[in-house]
Amino acid sequence: MTTILHISDTHISGDPAYHPHWLRAGSSHPNPGAKNLLRAIKQLPYAVDFILHTGDVCAEPLVDDCHCARDLLDDLPAPIILLPGNHDSGDLLAATLHDGERRHVLRDAQLRLDDVHVIALDTSGGGEHAPSLRPQQLDWLESALGSCKDGRIIVAAHHPLLETGVAWLDENMRVQNGAAAHAILAQHSDRIAGVLYGHIHQPTICCADGISYISCPSTWNNHAAHPGMAANAPDTHCAPGYNLLMLRGGRLFARRCALPATDA
């Protein structure tokens, strides 16, 4: 039995005045949301085997943001795996946060924790909102999946792989050749417990060819998605939060856990 927390899109900033031009007026600084999350994790009444952060750890690819993130994440009660998002620098994250014991920064890499294989696919794409995977990455993904001979597999990425039918998500937020990655994953669907991702700042579940794709909300601000949307819009009713994932034999149980909203 394995218990995992899935978190994403904390956008931690070392700048106390951080407020990018594209953010709606009145929005809060991202750090209070991240602190709420960390406080909630430390107060959980159950043990967690590991925490998976699916990217946009930092607000900007800056040294100060990475140092701030390290300071906030340093006393978590379980090991944490971090993937770079399009707002992160993978090199800076690795240099600042990776210690190979309690904090693991994974980019096109795999890690075994007990009987769970975590395969981290780097979709950060050099800061792109809608990247494409290189042929070498698809080859690596196929090889990594084939090397997992026993145990269950969790695949992690920052960006969604599958189309949703919501135009602004599919055109501006998705891995553009994600169908190629899904075709590889589908060959191992009996071993894959789930594909976890972030980037879209909303909690979603998609099932395709026997594989569950699960995203979690941001701890900062969240986005809406519904049929007919052609442009991004905020979802002020979506509470920040995280996902609790319980692997029990061949079953995956996922529960979304909400956090209190932070003041603007």
Side-chain angles (χ1 to χ4, degrees):
M1 298 188 296
T2 304
T3 301
I4 306 164
L5 295 185
H6 174 204
I7 66 177
S8 200
D9 297 274
T10 48
H11 290 261
I12 296 166
S13 176
D15 178 2
Y18 177 73
H19 194 285
H21 66 87
W22 45 264
L23 188 64
R24 69 182 186 273
S27 294
S28 65
H29 191 278
N31 288 13
K35 291 176 181 177
N36 273 354
L37 169 69
L38 300 175
R39 188 179 305 113
I41 290 174
K42 288 186 281 189
Q43 293 175 350
L44 289 174
Y46 50 84
V48 173
D49 292 293
F50 65 91
I51 301 164
L52 177 63
H53 193 314
T54 51
D56 282 356
V57 178
C58 298
E60 302 291 346
L62 301 173
V63 172
D64 285 351
D65 287 13
C66 288
H67 286 166
C68 186
R70 183 189 61 195
D71 292 343
L72 287 176
L73 299 173
D74 223 15
D75 60 347
L76 283 171
I80 184 169
I81 297 170
L82 304 111
L83 278 66
N86 55 291
H87 282 264
D88 297 310
S89 162
D91 289 341
L92 282 178
L93 277 185
T96 309
L97 280 89
H98 181 87
D99 64 13
E101 296 180 1
R102 297 285 293 179
R103 299 189 303 265
H104 306 268
V105 177
L106 299 186
R107 297 179 288 170
D108 293 336
Q110 61 189 108
L111 179 69
R112 180 163 183 165
L113 295 171
D114 296 324
D115 60 347
V116 176
H117 300 271
V118 179
I119 294 178
L121 185 61
D122 184 3
T123 65
S124 58
E128 295 180 50
H129 280 279
S132 292
L133 295 169
R134 302 185 309 276
Q136 299 95 315
Q137 289 183 284
L138 295 172
D139 291 343
W140 173 82
L141 176 63
E142 188 166 19
S143 175
L145 289 164
S147 71
C148 301
K149 301 302 183 184
D150 58 354
R152 300 288 282 166
I153 301 170
I154 292 285
V155 179
H158 179 59
H159 295 72
L161 299 179
L162 299 182
E163 290 186 275
T164 65
V166 179
W168 80 266
L169 280 176
D170 294 341
E171 295 170 9
N172 302 304
M173 301 288 279
R174 178 181 60 90
V175 174
Q176 296 302 289
N177 60 346
H182 173 72
I184 296 170
L185 295 171
Q187 299 175 36
H188 303 268
S189 60
D190 59 327
R191 302 277 310 288
I192 296 174
V195 178
L196 310 182
Y197 63 97
H199 187 56
I200 59 174
H201 289 224
Q202 54 191 273
T204 65
I205 298 175
C206 172
C207 297
D209 298 312
I211 299 174
S212 295
Y213 288 79
I214 302 171
S215 69
C216 76
S218 170
T219 55
W220 179 30
N221 67 82
N222 288 291
H223 305 317
H226 54 72
M229 284 186 69
N232 184 12
D235 185 349
T236 57
H237 299 292
C238 179
Y242 61 95
N243 289 334
L244 165 64
L245 304 172
M246 292 181 283
L247 277 171
R248 302 295 184 259
R251 302 185 307 278
L252 173 68
F253 178 82
R255 181 178 186 270
R256 183 202 170 195
C257 302
L259 295 168
T262 56
D263 294 332

